[in-house]
DNA sequence: CTGTGACTCATAGTCCGTC
DNA sequence: CGACGGACTATGAGTCACA
């Protein structure tokens, strides 16, 4: 599982949990609306700088946005 | 406190804890020798992709490298 | 409100050599 | 082994128009 997906998933989860639209989050984080969209669609591997901005705008820690889900991208074996 | 400093500090701490040189870590993470040096000197704001590579090479989670130190750049709140 | 292609600019990331 | 500068390439960062 790419780290981008982890970020995209967590970003969306936290954004929805905060009851914000992509536009609202983008506005709060001081970044472009379409950029947030791109991040949630794994178009980019964000730098830690925007990661920090996003986290602050969501009221969480940067590390929270990189927390991998136990069972989310679970791999059932090659068989 | 810049997020870069947090990364630089944690990166160095974990690298030393693992008993690795910058060269060794760079080799294990599959990234450039001088890049690790630059990261520890806050020259760049790494993307989450290299962050993940570094974390894996160190045997920790990407989120661990972004964990802020309580007491380092402590801010007493906006109030 | 959100996804997407296209585009420009900045910088992340590599390679090389030196101290 | 680690800091450092330069040149280069790949990709992230930021913005617009349209569906």
């Amino acid at each position: 599982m790419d780290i981008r997906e982890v970020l995209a998933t967590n970003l969306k989860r936290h954004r929805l949990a905060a009851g914000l639209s992509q536009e609202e989050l983008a506005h709060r984080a001081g970044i472009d609306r379409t950029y947030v969209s791109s991040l949630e669609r794994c178009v980019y591997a964000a730098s830690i700088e925007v990661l920090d901005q996003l986290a602050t705008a969501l009221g969480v820690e940067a590390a929270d946005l990189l927390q991998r889900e136990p069972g989310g991208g679970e791999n059932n074996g090659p068989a």
Side-chain angles (χ1 to χ4, degrees), chain A residues 11-69:
Chain A
L11 180 59
K12 197 164 203 167
R13 190 206 327 284
H14 283 289
R15 179 172 64 79
L16 262 18
L20 297 172
S21 65
Q22 289 183 348
E23 274 180 325
E24 260 298 291
L25 174 58
H27 179 70
R28 290 196 186 201
I31 59 185
D32 196 79
R33 176 187 75 85
T34 64
Y35 188 60
V36 175
S37 175
S38 299
L39 252 24
E40 288 192 1
R41 293 183 56 78
C42 305
V43 176
Y44 294 126
S47 70
I48 60 173
E49 232 156 44
V50 303
L51 187 72
D52 190 50
Q53 287 178 143
L54 257 358
T56 301
L58 288 170
V60 300
E61 293 177 74
D64 286 318
L65 296 181
L66 289 184
Q67 221 75 258
R68 298 202 179 212
E69 291 300 299

